[in-house]
Amino acid sequence: MIKKTLDEKAFQLLKEKMEQGLFPQWVLTDPDIYELEIDKIFGHTWQFLAHETELKDSGSYVTRWMVNDPVLLVKNRKGEIKGYLNSCTHRGTQLCTADHGNKKNFTCPYHGWSYNLDGELIGIVAGNKVYGEEMDKSEWGLREIPQVASYQGMIFGCLDPVAMPLEEYLGDMKWYFDILLGRSDGGMEVRGLPQRWVAKANWKATAENFAADPYHVQTTHRSTVELGISPEDPLYAGYGHQIVTENGHGINVITSKTGKARVPYQGTPESMWPMFKKNLTPEQDEILSGVTVFVGGVYPNLSFVSPIHGTEGHLHNYLNFRMWRPIGPEKVEVWCWFLIDKAAPEEYKEAAYRGYLGSFGPTGTLEQDDTETWARIVEVSKGLMMRDKELNYNNVSNYLMGFDRVEPDQSFPGPGIAYPTTYLDAISRSMHENWFKLISKDLFVKEAVK
Ligand code: FES
Ligand code: FE
């Protein structure tokens, strides 16, 4: 039995289990593990903040969170995107309290200190009278987020100044982002505001559900079969490829029984197809023309899904990005963005947005299905008997699915390790291996004898 403590022996036992492809259930809700994750995972990896179309003009800003760190993301006069800690340098209150907007300066609601778009302190109320001439304002600017970078319009931040650059961190996932985000002239745009809500869930379970688990679709979302939206075939979400890329990232390219999509290019208007071809490589175009659903994730807490929705003659496709912000071992704040090709016809964008609201938005049917399951996982994972229960412990069950049985498909046209089905746990294992590698880094390293 693995003891629910974080001593060296417990970690050795955890390591042995992980090496066998087993994942102890208690780590899903353990508060000590959660604290380690905040520090060792979220303190060093890249986290998604916003899409560039949310910051259109000079002075546009949005406020976001990197777990517990409040972020003020601003476009300055030079057109650069800057990230600041959204906390006043005077007495520390939240500086900008709105979710988004446009400003020339940010004035603190507490004592009125103000900062420009470059984070410099430019105004102090009654400055000369209160502080005299000695106060050096240049020392009291806003703290910058150590790294902010973007790829294909997606802006990420990292709290570790020496972490590898974003593009290196994304690795082969960039090739798939080029399809999802770079297929259209002008790229994608965010429509509406990101919606957010709190779910009873652990971030590892939600991230895995999206990035790695098409196997749940046929059961959890059974209603879509009963409504005639999805096929009766129980393997329908398993056709296609599951691709593992670096650093715990992965993507599922779901097709259909024939190996091709129901409709070309995910039901997008035919007038857009030549544009896709022009912007993609032949290999990327081959994948996009034949895919039904892309679903995957960037470790640790960004997931995405690009489905086909609607009925014959009224099909549409959109891209949903979602960030799972941990707010405790048993809670996540879900941040959910709807993205659509900027170049798409306006009525198509509107129809796709309505489809999103009815499926993956906060009131969407698919969302409700998943939320209920996540809450129940949290609810049942805290008991004494959970301390020696692994997910799952024989070689035909979940986390061992595909172990030594499915070989990578060398003929798949994209990068990464591509397996010829999505009903396996290749991405799950990669995520959990990465999880263990990150949380155990520098733990129990013996001090050098002086
Ligand atoms: Fe911001 Fe005092 S806390 S001005
Ligand atoms: Fe689901």
Side-chain angles (χ1 to χ4, degrees):
M1 177 184 282
I2 294 179
K3 282 192 295 181
K4 193 177 147 297
T5 59
L6 296 177
D7 60 22
E8 189 165 359
K9 194 169 164 216
F11 257 84
Q12 283 308 329
L13 282 165
L14 187 51
K15 187 164 179 263
E16 280 168 28
K17 296 290 179 193
M18 300 294 298
E19 283 166 359
Q20 295 165 48
L22 300 170
F23 193 64
Q25 191 162 348
W26 63 268
V27 307
L28 286 176
T29 51
D30 184 77
D32 295 333
I33 289 279
Y34 177 75
E35 289 306 317
L36 269 183
E37 290 169 348
I38 299 309
D39 183 2
K40 290 177 171 290
I41 297 178
F42 292 93
H44 300 279
T45 50
W46 286 87
Q47 291 161 63
F48 179 65
L49 292 171
H51 186 262
E52 281 174 5
T53 54
E54 293 178 83
L55 297 161
K56 287 198 174 77
D57 310 307
S58 157
S60 295
Y61 70 88
V62 293
T63 52
R64 298 285 142 91
W65 290 88
M66 295 172 76
V67 187
N68 296 317
D69 286 279
V71 178
L72 173 59
L73 203 62
V74 186
K75 184 177 257 190
N76 70 10
R77 287 182 190 282
K78 287 186 232 144
E80 301 160 331
I81 308 276
K82 308 287 274 183
Y84 305 108
L85 191 65
N86 189 14
S87 169
C88 181
T89 57
H90 178 228
R91 288 292 184 272
T93 193
Q94 187 175 355
L95 172 64
C96 178
T97 53
D99 287 350
H100 66 103
N102 189 290
K103 279 183 185 290
K104 288 194 175 70
N105 302 310
F106 294 92
T107 301
C108 179
Y110 200 175
H111 310 91
W113 286 22
S114 52
Y115 305 84
N116 66 16
L117 303 180
D118 289 308
E120 295 160 336
L121 178 63
I122 51 165
I124 299 179
V125 174
N128 286 347
K129 295 199 174 54
V130 179
Y131 291 97
E133 296 297 325
E134 284 131 58
M135 173 91 170
D136 182 356
K137 289 211 277 292
S138 69
E139 287 179 6
W140 294 96
L142 295 174
R143 288 276 300 275
E144 276 204 51
I145 303 304
Q147 296 200 65
V148 173
S150 62
Y151 186 76
Q152 287 284 12
M154 309 301 290
I155 307 165
F156 292 77
C158 181
L159 298 176
D160 180 351
V162 296
M164 67 176 87
L166 175 65
E167 293 207 18
E168 184 183 339
Y169 183 69
L170 292 174
D172 286 337
M173 187 53 76
K174 286 188 300 175
W175 194 88
Y176 297 97
F177 269 13
D178 290 346
I179 305 178
L180 289 163
L181 296 148
R183 66 187 192 182
S184 284
D185 296 346
M188 305 294 272
E189 65 182 7
V190 170
R191 195 175 183 90
L193 295 169
Q195 288 142 337
R196 60 184 200 261
W197 64 95
V198 172
K200 185 171 182 177
N202 178 267
W203 71 270
K204 295 186 288 299
T206 54
E208 186 207 34
N209 171 280
F210 259 75
D213 188 7
Y215 179 52
H216 81 279
V217 173
Q218 57 169 318
T219 307
T220 307
H221 306 299
R222 175 73 195 168
S223 60
T224 63
V225 176
E226 280 156 18
L227 289 169
I229 299 166
S230 303
E232 189 62 56
D233 179 0
L235 294 175
Y236 75 87
Y239 299 118
H241 287 82
Q242 181 166 103
I243 301 119
V244 180
T245 65
E246 307 93 321
N247 300 316
H249 319 320
I251 183 168
N252 298 276
V253 178
I254 301 173
T255 54
S256 72
K257 196 168 187 173
T258 62
K260 283 283 161 198
R262 225 167 7 126
V263 288
Y265 295 100
Q266 297 186 291
T268 48
E270 201 169 339
S271 58
M272 295 173 73
W273 301 353
M275 174 177 68
F276 297 158
K277 260 191 194 312
K278 174 184 68 129
N279 291 325
L280 301 175
T281 66
E283 293 80 12
Q284 290 168 328
D285 181 63
E286 180 188 334
I287 291 176
L288 180 63
S289 63
V291 70
T292 301
V293 178
F294 287 114
V295 60
V298 170
Y299 198 80
N301 62 335
L302 174 68
S303 298
F304 54 83
V305 59
S306 167
I308 298 175
H309 266 287
T311 49
E312 227 50 61
H314 302 281
L315 295 172
H316 44 256
N317 160 248
Y318 58 82
L319 179 59
N320 171 213
F321 265 69
R322 43 182 55 221
M323 191 269 284
W324 316 101
R325 175 194 168 205
I327 50 173
E330 300 178 20
K331 269 189 194 164
V332 288
E333 186 178 51
V334 187
W335 284 69
C336 205
W337 287 260
F338 170 90
L339 295 109
I340 190 86
D341 308 75
K342 227 183 238 178
E346 186 53 35
E347 62 278 10
Y348 176 84
K349 292 182 188 178
E350 186 53 35
Y353 188 61
R354 282 200 303 274
Y356 153 75
L357 291 177
S359 51
F360 283 109
T363 54
T365 48
L366 298 172
E367 195 63 42
Q368 303 298 320
D369 297 339
D370 287 321
T371 307
E372 203 167 310
T373 302
W374 300 333
R376 287 180 185 155
I377 293 173
V378 162
E379 203 53 61
V380 302
S381 297
K382 295 176 279 189
L384 294 173
M385 287 183 71
M386 288 298 160
R387 294 184 191 176
D388 62 353
K389 177 175 181 289
E390 286 102 21
L391 306 173
N392 286 268
Y393 54 87
N394 66 50
N395 66 0
V396 291
S397 57
N398 199 12
Y399 285 87
L400 290 170
M401 268 184 3
F403 213 82
D404 293 330
R405 285 184 285 130
V406 179
E407 291 299 319
D409 177 1
Q410 306 297 349
S411 68
F412 185 74
I417 304 168
Y419 295 91
T421 171
T422 67
Y423 282 1
L424 85 167
D425 287 327
I427 297 175
S428 290
R429 280 199 301 277
S430 169
M431 292 173 80
H432 296 322
E433 279 163 17
N434 202 49
W435 170 83
F436 187 70
K437 186 180 92 186
L438 291 170
I439 63 159
S440 56
K441 186 164 182 273
D442 300 331
L443 275 189
F444 311 118
V445 176
K446 300 275 183 299
E447 291 269 327
V449 180
K450 296 198 174 120

